[in-house]
């Protein structure tokens, strides 16, 4: 999955709350999530569909219900992207700092 898709899905507060709620490993149904959120079950279902499209949750049918659980791989990819990007900026800023120090000592 593309990390842009992950970040787009995580941009919504309700979706982030759902991921936190699903993070216990047991998962939950849309009905269970809706009980603890200030949005309707229908809205929960739409958010779960967006999370599923982004690969952030998986669905497993149990009888008449669908239980959702977190899929960690897209989150791990996003964290890796953040770490790599942060490291690249650290290097750039270190070079800039060296240049500024050099200019000050030369001036």
């Amino acid at each position: 999955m593309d990390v842009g898709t992950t970040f787009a899905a995580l941009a919504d507060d309700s979706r982030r709350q759902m991921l936190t709620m699903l993070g216990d490993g047991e998962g939950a149904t849309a009905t269970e999530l809706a009980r603890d959120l200030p949005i309707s079950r229908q809205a929960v279902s739409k958010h779960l569909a967006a999370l599923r499209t982004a690969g952030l949750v998986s669905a497993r049918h149990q009888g008449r219900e669908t239980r959702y659980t977190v899929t960690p791989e897209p989150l791990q990819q996003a964290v890796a992207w953040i770490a790599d990007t942060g490291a690249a900026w650290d290097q750039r800023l270190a070079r800039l700092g060296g240049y500024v120090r050099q200019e000050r000592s030369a001036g």
Side-chain angles (χ1 to χ4, degrees):
M1 257 309 141
D2 159 49
V3 293
T5 304
T6 300
F7 287 125
L10 294 174
D12 186 275
D13 184 53
S14 293
R15 292 184 198 138
R16 290 191 308 273
Q17 286 179 351
M18 286 183 212
L19 283 177
T20 299
M21 293 167 69
L22 292 170
D24 67 5
E26 293 182 22
T29 65
T31 301
E32 291 168 347
L33 291 170
R35 280 188 214 134
D36 296 325
L37 291 169
I39 57 177
S40 68
R41 186 195 177 289
Q42 193 171 29
V44 167
S45 293
K46 287 183 179 184
H47 285 301
L48 286 168
L51 290 170
R52 194 171 179 193
T53 298
L56 291 164
V57 298
S58 61
R60 183 179 79 249
H61 295 285
Q62 282 186 322
R64 294 181 2 189
E65 296 185 318
T66 302
R67 184 160 292 279
Y68 294 88
T69 55
V70 173
T71 306
E73 290 82 11
L75 292 171
Q76 293 165 344
Q77 291 170 357
V79 168
W81 181 87
I82 291 169
D84 290 347
T85 301
W89 275 105
D90 287 346
Q91 291 172 357
R92 289 179 186 124
L93 292 172
R95 284 194 307 269
L96 178 61
Y99 173 76
V100 169
R101 284 189 295 280
Q102 184 180 25
E103 288 296 312
R104 282 187 181 162
S105 67

